[in-house]
Amino acid sequence: MANKGPAYGMSRDVQSKIEKKYDEELEDRLVEWIVAQCGAAVGRPERGRLGFQVWLKNGIVLSRLVNSLYPDGSKPIKIPDAPPTMVFKQMEQIAQFLKAAEDYGVIQTDMFQTVDLFEAKDMAAVQRTLVALGSLAVTKNDGHYHGDPNWFMKKAQEHKREFTESQLKEGKNVIGLQMGSNKGASQAGMSYGRPRQIIS
């Protein structure tokens, strides 16, 4: 971020619109969930977009979060003893989180890019990814989610239906309402305008 100058004109307008999408109430809920999920050892960020970004920037909190959603012995991310201080190591830790989140089931369109977090380009996208991860954890209901289940919406789940052969045959005899009904009406006696006239 040190080598990036101020934005002007359209760049500033675009960045301003992106920053307005950041939800401070959602930030509070996400912080509560992360602390409930990972324990008090992860600490708490300073309030606001930049405080949230600094808290997550080195990737350690995110890695602990995704690891907490897996049973012991199958944690997807190796967390170093000391938090990484080198930029490329921090970005690598974030990339590992993104890979683990995708493996957990977060779809590509809900994922943020590493620079969105690392350079605070789009913290709303970071929130979107965390909300998607929380929703999946609540939906899976496998005992690894900690916190209030009402913090996230459950994802829709498949509800397969099985029909017997006789039920399928019965369905072929029913005329669906999509087919419509003319209730005995016909076009008899209808005329459209005057008949064609041939003038010689």
Side-chain angles (χ1 to χ4, degrees):
M1 282 177 62
N3 61 353
K4 191 175 75 174
Y8 296 101
M10 198 161 109
S11 297
R12 185 177 55 203
D13 293 345
V14 168
Q15 189 60 37
S16 168
K17 283 182 181 176
I18 289 171
E19 288 172 7
K20 284 179 184 164
K21 289 182 182 178
Y22 185 80
D23 186 343
E24 299 220 351
E25 287 178 26
L26 180 57
E27 175 197 315
D28 294 339
R29 187 169 13 130
L30 290 171
V31 169
E32 290 304 318
W33 175 52
I34 292 170
V35 171
Q37 192 71 38
C38 304
V42 295
R44 286 182 177 274
E46 288 182 29
R47 283 187 59 83
R49 190 175 61 84
L50 292 176
F52 193 59
Q53 183 255 348
V54 168
W55 188 49
L56 301 176
K57 184 178 177 180
N58 67 9
I60 297 296
V61 173
L62 294 173
S63 299
R64 288 194 177 159
L65 175 64
V66 82
N67 277 353
S68 70
L69 298 173
Y70 285 87
D72 290 336
S74 64
K75 308 286 186 198
I77 302 177
K78 185 178 185 322
I79 299 174
D81 297 331
T85 54
M86 298 169 75
V87 171
F88 79 93
K89 285 287 188 189
Q90 292 177 346
M91 292 180 93
E92 191 176 88
Q93 198 73 35
I94 295 169
Q96 286 181 27
F97 162 77
L98 291 171
K99 171 81 172 84
E102 191 174 358
D103 292 345
Y104 191 74
V106 178
I107 57 174
Q108 197 70 42
T109 54
D110 285 337
M111 299 293 253
F112 66 87
Q113 301 295 314
T114 304
V115 293
D116 291 340
L117 170 59
F118 198 79
E119 296 181 4
K121 284 196 182 278
D122 190 356
M123 290 303 293
V126 175
Q127 288 184 320
R128 191 171 54 245
T129 301
L130 293 173
V131 166
L133 186 65
S135 294
L136 276 169
V138 168
T139 304
K140 286 187 178 186
N141 196 18
D142 56 6
H144 297 294
Y145 175 84
H146 304 294
D148 186 346
N150 297 322
W151 284 340
F152 301 103
M153 303 243 327
K154 274 190 169 185
K155 297 245 182 215
Q157 293 177 305
E158 180 181 49
H159 183 67
K160 255 192 164 166
R161 295 190 171 94
E162 299 291 330
F163 295 104
T164 64
E165 202 59 43
S166 64
Q167 286 174 317
L168 291 171
K169 283 182 182 173
E170 266 182 53
K172 290 180 181 175
N173 298 331
V174 175
I175 297 175
L177 292 176
Q178 296 96 321
M179 307 296 183
S181 166
N182 63 7
K183 296 187 180 178
S186 72
Q187 290 183 333
M190 293 180 75
S191 62
Y192 294 98
R194 292 178 19 196
R196 190 171 83 179
Q197 297 180 356
I198 301 174
I199 300 173
S200 51

